[in-house]
Amino acid sequence: MCVQIIDIHTHIFPEEFIRDRDKIGRQDKRFFSIYGNPSARMVDARGLVEYMEVEHISACVACGFSFRDRGRIRESNDYILA
């Protein structure tokens, strides 16, 4: 019997969001509460696929983050859709 693992809530970010984590954290308390710690893992789409392969995950649902800045939400959503 083959068991499929599905991660139903995974955040992915554009590379520049990962690079600018500190700046974004200073502007957005909700983001900072989760990703303000430098050891909190953040991945882009490629990183998610690598994680899925290593952990033998069959499927993931990629979610955006509820940024306070609407422009950042739009950019994040566009990244996920692409």
Side-chain angles (χ1 to χ4, degrees):
M1 183 169 108
C2 179
V3 176
Q4 290 190 343
I5 299 172
I6 301 171
D7 185 337
I8 62 165
H9 190 122
T10 305
H11 291 282
I12 61 172
F13 301 93
E15 289 180 23
E16 58 271 15
F17 285 26
I18 297 169
R19 184 182 60 243
D20 295 338
R21 154 199 310 237
D22 292 336
K23 176 184 171 187
I24 295 169
R26 286 189 301 273
Q27 298 169 347
D28 192 315
K29 290 179 184 180
R30 289 180 293 199
F31 179 83
F32 183 80
S33 71
I34 298 172
Y35 297 106
N37 184 335
S39 65
R41 292 185 351 180
M42 292 178 70
V43 297
D44 59 9
R46 185 174 309 204
L48 177 59
V49 171
E50 291 171 4
Y51 164 76
M52 291 172 66
E53 290 172 356
V54 168
E55 298 298 329
H56 306 288
I57 296 173
S58 303
C60 285
V61 176
C63 301
F65 190 84
S66 60
F67 293 104
R68 294 190 55 83
D69 179 274
R70 288 185 184 266
R72 196 165 279 135
I73 290 172
R74 188 176 311 106
E75 189 176 347
S76 177
N77 288 346
D78 289 346
Y79 175 77
I80 292 169
L81 288 171

